[in-house]
Amino acid sequence: MGQTDLASNLSKTNHRKALEAAAAISDPYSRCQALAWVARYAPDDETAVRLAKESTRAAESASEPYQSAAAAAWPVRALLERGRQREAEAILRQAVARSKRIANPASRADALFLLVQAGWHSKGKSWPEALSALLAAATTAPHQKPSALLRDLALMLAGGGRDHAAALAAISDDKYRRQAERRLQERRLLSPRPFFW
């Protein structure tokens, strides 16, 4: 079992050992995720916020722009699940800004898709900004993968009672648009991914 799995497995039952396991991880992306697990199940909100900020610093230290932006999804969701809206909003806003450094639009769309799912229940301005950035990145990427991502996004938005028209219209590949339309008609909708369990 790797240190990230160890930290996540211990996070609910042994805060100290989970934190030790997370802090020992050298890879910034994995350390960010592990620290976010520990933050999510921390014994109090003050500790959770401190660890989420530490998790975010780990993400920021990643040399690869994709990892720097995408990893921040975990502390965003950890804070939202603990009811810490203001702190989650700040991390989400910074991660969306960092995503602009991802040169490949398909990779940028992937990172933003994670951030949009992480911030799904956010009530501030950062979530619509992340969604707009995702739509912009996905529509400029010349690959099929963003079309699949936009299909899933439309199904999530519809499943959450949100307007999905922009995501549906942005799908450039006819096959994926037809899939989305069929699944919407059949009410085969999606929910955002879980980050913690």
Side-chain angles (χ1 to χ4, degrees):
M1 178 184 297
Q3 290 292 98
T4 306
D5 289 336
L6 180 61
S8 64
N9 288 340
L10 289 169
S11 61
K12 291 182 182 180
T13 58
N14 193 324
H15 177 76
R16 183 182 60 79
K17 286 191 176 179
L19 182 55
E20 286 173 4
I25 298 170
S26 59
D27 172 62
Y29 191 89
S30 299
R31 188 168 69 250
C32 173
Q33 288 180 321
L35 285 166
W37 270 91
V38 183
R40 170 60 185 89
Y41 296 108
D44 58 78
D45 278 355
E46 184 179 336
T47 303
V49 169
R50 179 177 55 78
L51 289 172
K53 288 179 179 177
E54 188 177 337
S55 171
T56 304
R57 285 192 294 274
E60 291 168 347
S61 73
S63 58
E64 211 283 312
Y66 171 86
Q67 291 189 352
S68 180
W74 276 263
V76 167
R77 176 56 73 87
L79 288 170
L80 284 174
E81 288 189 10
R82 291 193 66 112
R84 304 298 298 212
Q85 171 78 30
R86 183 176 55 82
E87 294 91 342
E89 276 281 305
I91 294 170
L92 180 57
R93 186 176 304 111
Q94 292 160 5
V96 170
R98 284 198 307 279
S99 74
K100 294 174 184 173
R101 298 196 312 247
I102 305 172
N104 182 308
S107 296
R108 190 178 327 121
D110 269 345
L112 287 162
F113 190 47
L114 273 173
L115 291 168
V116 163
Q117 291 179 84
W120 195 263
H121 300 291
S122 176
K123 295 174 176 60
K125 294 179 182 176
S126 295
W127 189 83
E129 290 167 5
L131 181 61
S132 294
L134 167 57
L135 289 170
T139 53
T140 57
H143 303 291
Q144 283 189 332
K145 189 171 184 183
S147 290
L149 183 152
L150 287 168
R151 175 202 61 205
D152 291 350
L153 175 64
L155 296 172
M156 283 179 199
L157 289 167
R162 292 185 162 124
D163 183 8
H164 59 275
L168 190 63
I171 302 172
S172 60
D173 186 291
D174 289 341
K175 177 181 83 170
Y176 287 101
R177 189 181 303 106
R178 285 193 301 271
Q179 286 177 0
E181 289 168 346
R182 185 174 65 252
R183 292 178 193 181
L184 284 163
Q185 193 171 35
E186 295 169 353
R187 301 300 293 168
R188 290 164 53 200
L189 307 178
L190 297 175
S191 298
R193 63 163 288 164
F195 286 78
F196 309 100
W197 45 87

